[in-house]
Amino acid sequence: MATKSKKNDVKASKPRGTVRDFAQAAECLKTLAHPVRLRIVQLLLFGRYTVGELAADCEIQDNVASDHLRLLQRCGFLVSEREGRRVYYQIAEPHLQGLMDCIEGRFLPAES
């Protein structure tokens, strides 16, 4: 009669982190989960823009664009820089590029 070999008692390694560790990530991902904010991030990954430029592209009022930018800044996704009377926004979190690549690949139509 064949004997069963003992399984290795060492547990397979798990990815690092706990549910609690992901709380801040979940909050920031909720912030990104808005079409205007996704478009703002997409634009800013190509360069820096003013509130007015972003608002015009997104077809929203400047004050609404400012609210969206404030939320994105709160999560550490963006930084702003004043030059004279203009304030320019740019990406502060380089990992947003990978996330945007995933979103574009999954949800935007292929270029023809």
Side-chain angles (χ1 to χ4, degrees), residues 41-90:
V41 168
Q42 184 188 43
L43 288 166
L44 292 174
L45 284 166
F46 280 84
R48 51 188 219 144
Y49 288 85
T50 65
V51 173
E53 292 167 333
L54 293 166
D57 183 90
C58 296
E59 300 176 353
I60 57 176
Q61 298 295 317
D62 286 8
N63 63 321
V64 175
S66 291
D67 291 341
H68 287 296
L69 290 164
R70 192 172 13 266
L71 290 170
L72 291 166
Q73 274 188 300
R74 216 175 277 157
C75 282
F77 293 141
L78 310 180
V79 292
S80 59
E81 182 180 344
R82 181 175 290 281
E83 286 184 12
R85 294 182 61 201
R86 293 186 177 198
V87 177
Y88 289 91
Y89 290 85
Q90 57 193 15

Side-chain angles (χ1 to χ4, degrees), residues 92-103:
E93 175 50 67
H95 293 98
L96 286 173
Q97 182 64 62
L99 187 57
M100 185 56 64
D101 290 344
C102 178
I103 292 166

